[in-house]
Amino acid sequence: MKIGFIGLGQMGSAMAANLLKAGHDVTVWNRSADKAAKLVEAGAHLAEKPVDAAQGEVVMTMLADDRALEAVVYGEGGIQGAPALHVSHSTIGIALADRLAADAGNGFVSAPVFGRPVAAEAAKLFVIAAGAPADLDRCEPLFAAIGQRTFRIGETPSAANLVKLSGNFMIMAAVEAMAEAMTLAEKGGVDRRTLLDVLTGTLFGAPIYQTYGDILVEDRFHPAGFAAPLGLKDMTLADTAATTLCAPMPILGIVRDHIRSVIASEGEDVDWAGVALAVRRGAGIA
Ligand code: NAP
């Protein structure tokens, strides 16, 4: 299929590479053009402007946040009005997804993903997709090239973003709970690995505890796989949704403050699992 891919950060570059590997004819665009070099070497075409990547059947976007996506859609050389179906993978807010759906002349699909860059490289993402059924059907081969499973959750695109924000909140709540339990154990003389092995080997065998548990045990916070500022963005988007829908989320406030705290102490290139550092500091251990 002739497609475009916009946004070649940690996630997007891996996703675009898998689309190429699956045999699609891919045109790429990134704000910093140097990040496209490897993909061009592998056979991708380089677009000069975002709109040049949106002349085929589908254009997929994977950008940092609402502001970045707005710039690529509505800014100079943006994809608004271009012939391609827009498939948005970025983790964005509900209001922007609703606006993009209302404005899109040629269809709009929201398809945020679960999975870190390692999963993106291995084409093992989970794709949460919402939009018109015919548009979702057209995207199936593309989703199959980047992910291990696609969940269709309805015709309103922003519903996929609500699921994604809810999921990211639950990841952070799980990381916060693990960090607190590990800190408690460590202060009592039980090392983190021992605690994690018991918990994941008994009642907490879910992938989230295994993936993030290892990160916490091994202190793998630098370089960031999922940067804390992006995590803070997601918690803020979840909070906006909670305010709009009047759904109290007290735990959200705690994890958001811990992300702020770790960015303040470590800088921006720290993984969001670094909330564990804020928890440990609060308990008086380094
Ligand atoms: P990243 O490595 O920081 O890449 C961000 C991308 O957005 C880059 O291509 C960057 O371009 C572009 N960008 C930023 N501001 C821009 C602007 N104003 N105009 C145009 N382009 C702009 O981020 P990532 O980790 O790939 O994450 C991308 C999205 O996926 C985010 O919404 C994130 O929340 C979501 N996500 C991430 C993960 C993860 O584990 N990393 C997992 C699931 C979902 P430059 O190269 O020019 O800076």
Side-chain angles (χ1 to χ4, degrees):
M1 199 186 296
K2 188 168 156 45
I3 60 168
F5 202 101
I6 294 178
L8 306 175
Q10 297 210 77
M11 297 293 289
S13 54
M15 293 160 74
N18 284 328
L19 289 158
L20 267 176
K21 266 187 224 154
H24 297 289
D25 179 359
V26 188
T27 300
V28 295
W29 184 88
N30 194 60
R31 181 179 61 175
S32 318
D34 56 310
K35 287 193 190 158
K38 257 182 145 177
L39 289 161
V40 170
E41 242 172 66
H45 314 284
L46 183 61
E48 267 187 35
K49 304 184 288 297
V51 68
D52 301 334
Q55 301 304 313
E57 209 175 318
V58 170
V59 60
M60 302 158 92
T61 53
M62 187 48 152
L63 296 148
D65 53 19
D66 283 31
R67 209 163 53 97
L69 185 55
E70 278 171 330
V72 156
V73 175
Y74 299 109
E76 209 189 318
I79 65 175
Q80 176 63 18
L85 164 69
H86 180 191
V87 179
S88 164
H89 294 289
S90 317
T91 306
I92 55 165
I94 308 304
L96 179 57
D98 286 338
R99 181 182 171 202
L100 291 167
D103 287 352
N106 297 305
F108 176 71
V109 166
S110 245
V113 298
F114 285 113
R116 290 169 61 93
V118 174
E121 274 164 35
K124 293 278 185 212
L125 295 171
F126 292 103
V127 181
I128 316 302
D135 290 339
L136 295 179
D137 288 345
R138 283 164 71 194
C139 293
E140 273 309 326
L142 305 176
F143 295 158
I146 61 169
Q148 57 177 298
R149 186 169 171 196
T150 299
F151 292 82
R152 288 189 179 203
I153 59 153
E155 297 205 24
T156 305
S158 62
N161 301 95
L162 193 57
V163 170
K164 171 65 184 166
L165 293 175
S166 304
N168 273 17
F169 159 68
M170 287 187 67
I171 294 172
M172 264 337 284
V175 172
E176 169 77 25
M178 263 191 301
E180 290 183 18
M182 283 183 187
T183 301
L184 173 71
E186 203 167 335
K187 288 197 87 170
V190 177
D191 70 81
R192 292 180 226 154
R193 172 59 69 194
T194 303
L195 179 77
L196 183 67
D197 286 349
V198 172
L199 294 181
T200 54
T202 53
L203 301 174
F204 296 89
I208 205 68
Y209 292 109
Q210 287 169 347
T211 302
Y212 281 93
D214 281 341
I215 292 173
L216 262 53
V217 166
E218 294 160 18
D219 281 348
R220 278 195 270 119
F221 306 130
H222 303 277
F226 183 65
L230 291 179
L232 180 58
K233 173 259 302 183
D234 291 355
M235 295 307 103
T236 304
L237 292 174
D239 188 56
T240 302
T243 300
T244 306
L245 298 169
C246 202
M249 297 179 75
I251 294 173
L252 177 60
I254 294 170
V255 298
R256 195 177 48 173
D257 273 353
H258 277 162
I259 301 179
R260 285 183 180 136
S261 166
V262 78
I263 294 171
S265 64
E266 303 286 314
E268 298 211 329
D269 187 21
V270 60
D271 199 274
W272 71 338
V275 293
L277 299 172
V279 170
R280 288 178 209 162
R281 262 193 303 274
I285 55 176

